[in-house]
Amino acid sequence: MRFRAMAKINLALDVLGKRPDGYHDVRMIMQTISMYDTLTIEKKPEPGISLSVNLPFVPTDERNLVYRAAKLLMDEFRVEEGVRMNLAKFIPVAAGMAGGSSDAAAALVGVNRIFSLGLSTQELMERGLTIGADVPYCVMRGTALAEGIGEKLTRLPDAPDCFVLIGKPGISVSTRQAYESLDLSSLGERPDIDGMMRSIEAGDLYGMADRMCNVFEPGISGRFPVIRSIRDLMEENGALKAVMSGSGPTVFGIFDDREKMKKAADVLKHSGMAKTVYGTALFRPGRKEGHQ
Ligand code: ATP
């Protein structure tokens, strides 16, 4: 069985404060896009989990979130058969697009289905939270407000149709470092999340794009100026707005026209600033068959 693990972007990302347990309280608008990894799962008679990945630098043991997700359910339900899984990664790694979390979500959904465990979406989301704060959202997908550490989810109406250009420079940013270097006493511009929710409800793409903002961006793009350069290039080439996703370094631009997006993609490719350039659109869970 094949499952798609969809990437996410943060249309808006705010950090409210640090909690006593070391995590941060956030407020974010999450959106799934049509960029995905593919997870193939099959049963095998011998017990245990075997995982292969198309990228040599991604671990295939317990360090891989897919492995952990499968093990979590198989241990809980004392599954005696084994699984063989292959992960074909396309979502850039350590990019702020929740690639690993989405792979874990696909593994939860996949193992639940292949062994007929009978868990509901809500029950899969609860188990996903023990793997990572973004995993419940990756099970849910679509447009959502995420609060708490990212696990308190409120489904929003679908964001208005638009085109999304992804540009990821060839650098890596660790999420942990991004939080550690965040100075909560001087965050600079904060996103108007309530205003963005109103724009989404009204189907107002321009109002939504206008309110895109990520509190991590000034700090991370200060360290890596190529992020700002990619953002400026997208905006000079027709993006309604471009911002960084998650803790970076991926930048995404929102376009109201596919041709404009394609042209901007060409300019970005020729600039040599981005290692990954990918033009896509929003993904709506209802329109296509769920996780498969
Ligand atoms: P987020 O948006 O949640 O911050 P991310 O894009 O920053 O996610 P990932 O791509 O999920 O980060 O991976 C970060 C690290 O996690 C990698 O360096 C990798 O070693 C490890 N990892 C574990 N499982 C996976 C997986 N299935 N795919 C990619 N990386 C994984």
Side-chain angles (χ1 to χ4, degrees):
M1 270 182 151
R2 267 182 158 194
F3 298 86
R4 284 180 181 179
M6 314 299 298
K8 64 87 177 148
I9 51 175
N10 298 93
L11 294 171
L13 196 171
D14 199 8
V15 178
L16 306 181
K18 193 167 180 178
R19 312 173 355 153
D21 61 8
Y23 285 97
H24 287 78
D25 275 316
V26 294
R27 202 154 183 254
M28 321 186 273
I29 307 235
M30 319 286 280
Q31 176 63 51
T32 320
I33 58 169
S34 290
M35 180 184 207
Y36 55 88
D37 296 338
T38 308
L39 183 67
T40 314
I41 310 186
E42 59 182 351
K43 289 186 193 176
K44 62 180 173 79
E46 326 81 67
I49 298 169
S50 69
L51 173 65
S52 54
V53 184
N54 64 334
L55 299 178
F57 57 89
V58 173
T60 55
D61 53 18
E62 302 235 5
R63 289 168 296 166
N64 196 304
L65 300 186
V66 162
Y67 192 107
R68 263 193 257 169
K71 186 165 182 343
L72 183 85
L73 293 191
M74 290 169 72
D75 285 353
E76 180 182 343
F77 287 86
R78 299 174 203 277
V79 174
E80 279 169 10
E81 298 166 274
V83 278
R84 186 175 298 118
M85 300 187 286
N86 176 262
L87 177 63
K89 286 213 65 83
F90 185 68
I91 304 170
V93 175
M97 304 188 77
S101 304
S102 195
D103 296 340
L108 291 173
V109 170
V111 168
N112 184 46
R113 194 170 307 166
I114 204 166
F115 292 114
S116 307
L117 304 181
L119 293 171
S120 65
T121 300
Q122 189 60 41
E123 288 166 332
L124 292 176
M125 287 164 66
E126 283 159 16
R127 282 155 182 82
L129 181 58
T130 68
I131 298 170
D134 281 345
V135 179
Y137 167 71
C138 292
V139 173
M140 174 179 171
R141 315 202 288 192
T143 310
L145 171 70
E147 297 172 292
I149 60 167
E151 90 293 7
K152 281 188 198 141
L153 296 165
T154 309
R155 184 171 293 288
L156 300 177
D158 285 339
D161 271 325
C162 58
F163 300 94
V164 183
L165 179 60
I166 298 296
K168 186 209 166 261
I171 49 172
S172 294
V173 178
S174 95
T175 305
R176 178 187 291 246
Q177 272 176 5
Y179 273 105
E180 280 168 2
S181 58
L182 199 65
D183 180 0
L184 289 172
S185 59
S186 61
L187 277 186
E189 193 193 349
R190 310 284 290 271
D192 171 13
I193 300 227
D194 295 317
M196 181 178 279
M197 289 198 288
R198 283 193 294 274
S199 300
I200 290 173
E201 265 154 38
D204 172 11
L205 175 63
Y206 302 94
M208 180 190 91
D210 206 37
R211 290 177 176 81
M212 284 173 13
C213 173
N214 178 346
V215 292
F216 282 118
E217 190 177 315
I220 304 289
S221 65
R223 270 170 54 207
F224 303 106
V226 65
I227 293 173
R228 197 162 289 160
S229 307
I230 295 175
R231 186 196 67 192
D232 292 347
L233 181 149
M234 288 189 188
E235 291 185 352
E236 283 156 15
N237 286 276
L240 300 177
K241 186 143 181 182
V243 296
M244 194 179 82
S245 185
S247 52
T250 301
V251 175
F252 66 92
I254 294 288
F255 292 76
D256 59 3
D257 179 89
R258 188 193 294 274
E259 286 311 310
K260 277 191 221 163
M261 180 189 70
K262 280 188 179 166
K263 278 192 192 140
D266 283 340
V267 179
L268 182 56
K269 271 183 204 153
H270 285 112
S271 76
M273 290 192 292
K275 197 174 157 206
T276 307
V277 177
Y278 188 68
T280 183
L282 307 187
F283 173 83
R284 303 178 192 292
R287 282 195 192 168
K288 279 187 199 157
E289 159 61 6
H291 270 271
Q292 222 174 332

